[in-house]
Amino acid sequence: MLERGLKWIADFQIAHPTFVLVLCILITFAAFNGAMKIKSEANMEKWMPQDLPVIKTSKLIRSIFGASDMEMVVVRLDPDSTDEYAIYDVRDPEVLKAIDRLELRIRGEDHVYSVMSIVDYIKMYNGGAIPVEIEGVKQIINAHPELKEYIASDYSSTIIMITTDAGADQNVAKRLTRNIEHDISEASFPSGIRADVTGIPSLISTIMDLINENNRKTTALSMIFVLIVLIVSYSSIRWGLKPMVPLAFGVVWMMGLMGYLGIPLNMATSAVTSMMIGMGIAYGVHIVDRYKEERAKGASIDDAVERSVVKVGSAIISTSATTMGGFLALLFGSMPMMQQMGAALFLCIGCSMASAIFLLPSILCLLDRRDEYAS
């Protein structure tokens, strides 16, 4: 029954290769729209089961008290500074004034509940003003030993602590991190001093950037490496490209389905496109090799396509079904991130199979018929 179905598919492609190609192109355009809907998921809370006590407690704290995340800015001596007049002590009043300016800007940001640093205590113990000379700062710190918690023992760095609820929403976390980085650039720290932001929102923002960058880079490199191997194997750029073209369509289809189904890019699913290229190219290679073999035996284009689809296609469907079944097991795990990876891998194999069986034979028909007509 499977072979009869594949024979019907092959006959349809042989009779209407242009229609099949146009249809696949239209599907790909629709998939592009879905791919644009894919979101990066960098919030580690969402990677775990939402019914865990630790997750429930975190949500409870956030709902009652608002701020439950800590963002920090480390103000320190710049080790790369070559300025001989650079400041060598973060207790310098010029550094404290810059911190004060930075705090004022950060307090105006959305989702910021409080900002605290050593400057707030120094101003409190000095009548609301920062001392003009560094000796005045030293006297205040020596008189109040608890302030040493905010400053390194060698006076090379100090910290600004920011409470926020930005960690609950990764887009808010990313926006807050970028705003704080902009505030740092506008605070005008003196020469020899640098400020760096870190904390949960910054970590989430960095993970988002890494996921997107990693997905783009690994997908491109996978395509290039696989194409090089195919060109070398076939000793032909043209034959090397033939199994790659439908696979590229399949990658877009998979990304589109992920977008429509709400499967995000996270630490697990960001590698699926590269895995698809590595695993899915085999299906196209099998069909192309069988087609070349049949043509070498003297078969016509139509007969070679039909035999390739019917004989190789049945094996491809069988192996794909077993692989997809194995990946479906991940859907029954308790970790949302692993469930999403299982769904993405399921789509990965399905789209690879579909592009090889439904699109590649039409491409072979069109190209070889064109060559025969030209000759």
Side-chain angles (χ1 to χ4, degrees), residues 138 195 201 266 301 311:
K138 293 179 180 179
N266 53 37
I301 295 174
K311 298 302 181 183

Side-chain angles (χ1 to χ4, degrees), residues 9 109 138 156 181 184 193 219:
I9 292 172
E109 301 291 353
K138 293 179 180 179
S156 63
E181 290 173 347
I184 290 173
I193 299 295
T219 300

Side-chain angles (χ1 to χ4, degrees), residues 90-137:
V90 294
R91 296 173 296 178
D92 190 288
E94 292 302 314
V95 178
L96 301 183
K97 290 177 182 178
I99 293 175
D100 194 37
R101 289 193 296 269
L102 177 58
E103 282 192 63
L104 182 62
R105 296 184 65 92
I106 294 176
R107 286 192 180 99
E109 301 291 353
D110 293 334
H111 298 278
V112 170
Y113 285 76
S114 66
V115 183
M116 184 63 66
S117 75
I118 193 173
V119 172
D120 299 289
Y121 290 99
I122 290 174
K123 290 171 66 177
M124 181 177 66
Y125 293 130
N126 194 52
I130 297 173
V132 178
E133 301 292 337
I134 191 171
E135 292 303 322
V137 177

Side-chain angles (χ1 to χ4, degrees), residues 97-358:
K97 290 177 182 178
I99 293 175
D100 194 37
R101 289 193 296 269
L102 177 58
E103 282 192 63
L104 182 62
R105 296 184 65 92
I106 294 176
R107 286 192 180 99
E109 301 291 353
D110 293 334
H111 298 278
V112 170
Y113 285 76
S114 66
V115 183
M116 184 63 66
S117 75
I118 193 173
V119 172
D120 299 289
Y121 290 99
I122 290 174
K123 290 171 66 177
M124 181 177 66
Y125 293 130
N126 194 52
I130 297 173
V132 178
E133 301 292 337
I134 191 171
E135 292 303 322
V137 177
K138 293 179 180 179
Q139 291 175 6
I140 294 173
I141 294 175
N142 291 333
H144 302 278
E146 69 274 12
L147 299 188
K148 294 182 180 179
E149 297 178 3
Y150 290 88
I151 196 166
S153 58
D154 60 354
Y155 310 112
S156 63
S157 62
T158 185
I159 192 170
I160 302 172
M161 294 188 293
I162 307 159
T163 54
T164 174
D165 63 354
D169 187 317
Q170 61 187 27
N171 294 317
V172 172
K174 190 176 186 69
R175 186 164 57 250
L176 177 62
T177 300
R178 289 180 174 175
N179 289 347
I180 292 176
E181 290 173 347
H182 176 72
D183 293 338
I184 290 173
S185 66
E186 296 292 320
S188 301
F189 279 93
S191 176
I193 299 295
R194 62 177 297 174
D196 301 293
V197 60
T198 186
I200 296 298
S202 296
L203 180 62
I204 291 174
S205 175
T206 302
I207 291 175
M208 284 182 67
D209 291 338
L210 288 174
I211 287 173
N212 292 324
E213 179 184 356
N214 181 74
N215 184 59
R216 290 191 297 267
K217 183 184 296 184
T218 56
T219 300
L221 289 175
S222 298
M223 283 284 192
I224 293 171
F225 291 155
V226 170
L227 180 59
I228 291 173
V229 172
L230 290 175
I231 291 173
V232 172
S233 299
Y234 288 118
S235 299
S236 167
I237 295 177
R238 180 181 176 183
W239 280 101
L241 283 170
K242 284 181 178 179
M244 284 295 296
V245 172
L247 180 62
F249 277 71
V251 169
V252 179
W253 296 350
M254 182 197 69
M255 298 295 287
L257 287 172
M258 287 179 63
Y260 286 126
L261 295 174
I263 301 173
L265 282 179
N266 53 37
M267 297 292 285
T269 59
S270 63
V272 169
T273 50
S274 298
M275 296 170 67
M276 177 178 180
I277 294 167
M279 295 186 294
I281 191 62
Y283 301 148
V285 169
H286 288 319
I287 288 180
V288 168
D289 278 2
R290 182 59 182 265
Y291 176 80
K292 288 186 67 179
E293 181 182 335
E294 294 294 336
R295 291 286 284 161
K297 293 177 180 178
S300 65
I301 295 174
D302 294 358
D303 289 342
V305 167
E306 182 177 307
R307 292 169 191 171
S308 301
V309 173
V310 172
K311 298 302 181 183
V312 178
S314 58
I316 289 175
I317 290 175
S318 299
T319 56
S320 298
T322 54
T323 306
M324 293 165 73
F327 288 141
L328 275 178
L330 293 173
L331 295 177
F332 296 94
S334 60
M335 293 281 288
M337 182 170 66
M338 298 308 296
Q339 293 173 349
Q340 292 159 357
M341 183 179 182
L345 288 170
F346 179 87
L347 297 176
C348 154
I349 299 300
C351 291
S352 299
M353 174 189 67
S355 64
I357 292 177
F358 295 104

